[in-house]
Amino acid sequence: MTILDGKKVSNDIKNEIKAEVDKMKAAGEKVPHLAAVIVGDDGASLTYVGSKVRSCERVGFESTMVRLPHTTSEIELLHKIEQLNENDDIDGFIIQLPLPPQINTQRVLMAVDPSKDVDGFHPENFGRMALDMSTFIPATPFGILELLERYKVDTKGKHTVVIGRSHIVGRPMSILMSRKGWPGNSTVTVTHSNTKNITQITSQADIIISALGVPNFLKAEMVKDDAVIIDVGITRVEDDTLPKGYRIVGDVDFDAVSKKASFITPVPGGVGPMTIAMLLKNTLLAREQRSQGKR
């Protein structure tokens, strides 16, 4: 069994990006600039955006955090997005989710300039991905592809089962794993809350990508020997024995399933660190495209 070490791979990617940025600086070129918009004071969102800002500093990017109060109206947020779209100094930006209830999330994501949509959530970028065209792949699926590639996991002709159908992970992964090329060329089954006999399906899978958000959902009896297990789930579970009062748990019963798997991602330290690394990679791509006038 091999651990797919997202912490190590994400550090490797950040070092590679820093080397590219150092070349840009040496050539007198503009370095990438990533902005993040956060509405309200959600603790997890603030922590996540703060981590993105620190990662930008590490690789030599410029970064801007736009903090708006939780009372911000949809019109006010759309106006801020318009300013970011028109700001030539900013190469890419993200809207941190979730947004407060008074704001229509889909309308906000649609307002982002697709050429600056480094989260890959705009329908234009999602459509380009589905058509196997050059685009920004959503950061978490992009990170999963990178892990599979760097650990040389064979995906050709394999049966991949995706658990969950979210627009952020499940649905894009189902498209990407069935695309021509590598990682890809899998036969993909998408399962979700209305799937019957899910154990019968997962037990036939060569690769399982679980993005359900249910702690320890995937048990050993649901997995065949030598399966590849990608655990995207991140759930806080109360634990009074720890200083924080909680622990982070994935969708997979790691202790039991790891005994059967050929490759497996841990939680934490698997897919999570890859998400920020690939967001940085998308921002670097955005800068390169803008400098070449491609998009």
Side-chain angles (χ1 to χ4, degrees):
M1 185 272 293
T2 300
I3 295 286
L4 298 171
D5 190 343
K7 194 170 183 181
K8 177 191 178 299
V9 174
S10 69
N11 281 328
D12 291 343
I13 292 168
K14 288 175 185 177
N15 289 337
E16 292 162 11
I17 292 172
K18 186 178 186 306
E20 287 294 316
V21 174
D22 287 344
K23 286 181 190 174
M24 289 178 168
K25 288 179 179 177
E29 297 174 11
K30 178 189 177 303
V31 300
H33 186 164
L34 174 67
V37 180
I38 184 165
V39 184
D41 298 304
D42 179 75
S45 293
L46 286 168
T47 299
Y48 191 45
V49 171
S51 180
K52 290 172 181 173
V53 170
R54 288 191 298 275
S55 293
C56 284
E57 291 172 359
R58 177 183 159 179
V59 300
F61 284 11
E62 292 181 20
S63 66
T64 299
M65 187 192 296
V66 180
R67 288 192 62 178
L68 301 171
H70 73 276
T71 53
T72 299
S73 69
E74 185 177 304
I75 290 175
E76 288 170 327
L77 179 55
L78 290 172
H79 180 63
K80 177 56 67 176
I81 290 170
E82 186 179 354
Q83 290 177 341
L84 294 170
N85 284 340
E86 294 174 355
N87 186 342
D88 286 336
D89 189 52
I90 290 174
D91 300 296
F93 66 95
I94 62 160
I95 311 297
Q96 185 63 38
L97 304 178
L99 292 169
Q102 73 271 18
I103 296 174
N104 184 314
T105 298
Q106 196 60 50
R107 195 171 294 148
V108 165
L109 296 179
M110 286 278 288
V112 176
D113 182 340
S115 72
K116 295 188 176 189
D117 169 42
V118 289
D119 256 338
F121 291 163
H122 193 283
E124 180 178 317
N125 288 326
F126 199 97
R128 291 174 69 93
M129 178 195 70
L131 293 169
D132 208 12
M133 299 168 67
S134 173
T135 191
F136 300 120
I137 297 173
T140 300
F142 198 6
I144 293 169
L145 293 180
E146 197 76 13
L147 277 176
L148 294 172
E149 187 172 333
R150 294 199 181 215
Y151 279 90
K152 297 180 169 56
V153 176
D154 186 17
T155 61
K156 184 179 180 181
K158 303 297 183 182
H159 181 198
T160 296
V161 171
V162 178
I163 305 175
R165 54 183 169 180
S166 74
H167 295 169
I168 296 172
V169 181
R171 195 159 296 174
M173 280 314 307
S174 69
I175 294 167
L176 293 163
M177 290 301 288
S178 64
R179 67 182 180 170
K180 288 182 180 179
W182 177 70
N185 277 322
S186 288
T187 299
V188 178
T189 302
V190 180
T191 63
H192 45 76
S193 57
N194 288 304
T195 300
K196 295 178 180 178
N197 304 320
I198 192 167
T199 297
Q200 186 179 344
I201 297 168
T202 58
S203 61
Q204 298 173 17
D206 301 303
I207 302 168
I208 299 174
I209 301 169
S210 186
L212 197 61
V214 177
N216 297 315
F217 172 82
L218 193 72
K219 306 294 186 185
E221 60 268 22
M222 301 171 71
V223 176
K224 74 176 186 179
D225 289 341
D226 295 326
V228 177
I229 309 296
I230 307 292
D231 189 351
V232 188
I234 299 178
T235 306
R236 289 186 181 189
V237 175
E238 288 185 15
D239 189 337
D240 294 336
T241 66
L242 297 175
K244 289 182 178 179
Y246 67 87
R247 56 194 169 91
I248 301 296
V249 179
D251 286 356
V252 178
D253 181 356
F254 183 88
D255 290 343
V257 173
S258 61
K259 293 178 173 64
K260 299 179 75 173
S262 56
F263 295 88
I264 190 168
T265 59
V267 175
V271 173
M274 295 297 296
T275 299
I276 291 180
M278 303 320 284
L279 177 67
L280 297 175
K281 198 160 185 175
N282 273 344
T283 305
L284 178 63
L285 176 63
R287 169 86 300 265
E288 290 169 348
Q289 289 180 342
R290 289 175 68 75
S291 66
Q292 296 164 12
K294 285 186 177 178
R295 291 190 70 180

